[in-house]
Amino acid sequence: QVQLVESGGGLVQPGGSLTLSCAVSGDTFSVYELAWFRQAPGHEREFVGAIIWGGGHTYYAASAKGRFTISRDNAKNSIYLQMNSLKPEDTAVYYCAARLGETRGYDYWGQGTQVTVSS
């Protein structure tokens, strides 16, 4: 079992920055990849980006590339989502998710943290 807890959400003005954290606990040695998803009201949950837990390789959705950065701190069993140049359309609940293999689905999810971009 893997537990994920997000934090760091809040209200930010357009053009501002925010960093989300995801603390990973439980069977961390089984984790292959950690990802960030988001879901805006009335929209389906969408992939933001991901990081390979062991190697550190990252990849992003087109909407996040160039503005968002995912990093990890293995010592703290945490990943982070640094978001810059935020836009109102980035408003959503952001979720951390984990999968235990390259061909596995995301079986573990956090509770989400709200990000609101508004003036």
Side-chain angles (χ1 to χ4, degrees):
Q1 291 289 326
V2 177
Q3 295 80 44
L4 305 169
V5 179
E6 304 95 334
S7 60
L11 174 64
V12 61
Q13 292 189 340
S17 298
L18 199 63
T19 299
L20 306 182
S21 301
C22 174
V24 187
S25 61
D27 191 11
T28 59
F29 290 101
S30 296
V31 173
Y32 168 75
E33 179 182 280
L34 292 159
W36 288 98
F37 288 77
R38 66 184 183 184
Q39 187 166 20
H43 290 78
E44 292 190 356
R45 189 174 297 183
E46 67 170 343
F47 174 81
V48 174
I51 185 166
I52 307 301
W53 186 234
H57 173 71
T58 56
Y59 59 102
Y60 301 90
S63 59
K65 204 172 292 185
R67 296 191 301 128
F68 294 1
T69 302
I70 297 173
S71 60
R72 63 175 178 165
D73 186 333
N74 292 85
K76 294 183 178 180
N77 281 338
S78 295
I79 67 165
Y80 307 94
L81 179 64
Q82 170 71 41
M83 303 184 291
N84 299 322
S85 303
L86 283 163
K87 308 172 184 179
E89 50 264 43
D90 294 316
T91 295
V93 177
Y94 283 71
Y95 297 91
C96 180
R99 59 178 177 171
L100 306 187
E102 188 173 6
T103 58
R104 297 278 298 269
Y106 293 98
D107 293 326
Y108 300 95
W109 293 82
Q111 82 289 350
T113 186
Q114 176 70 47
V115 172
T116 302
V117 184
S118 175
S119 55

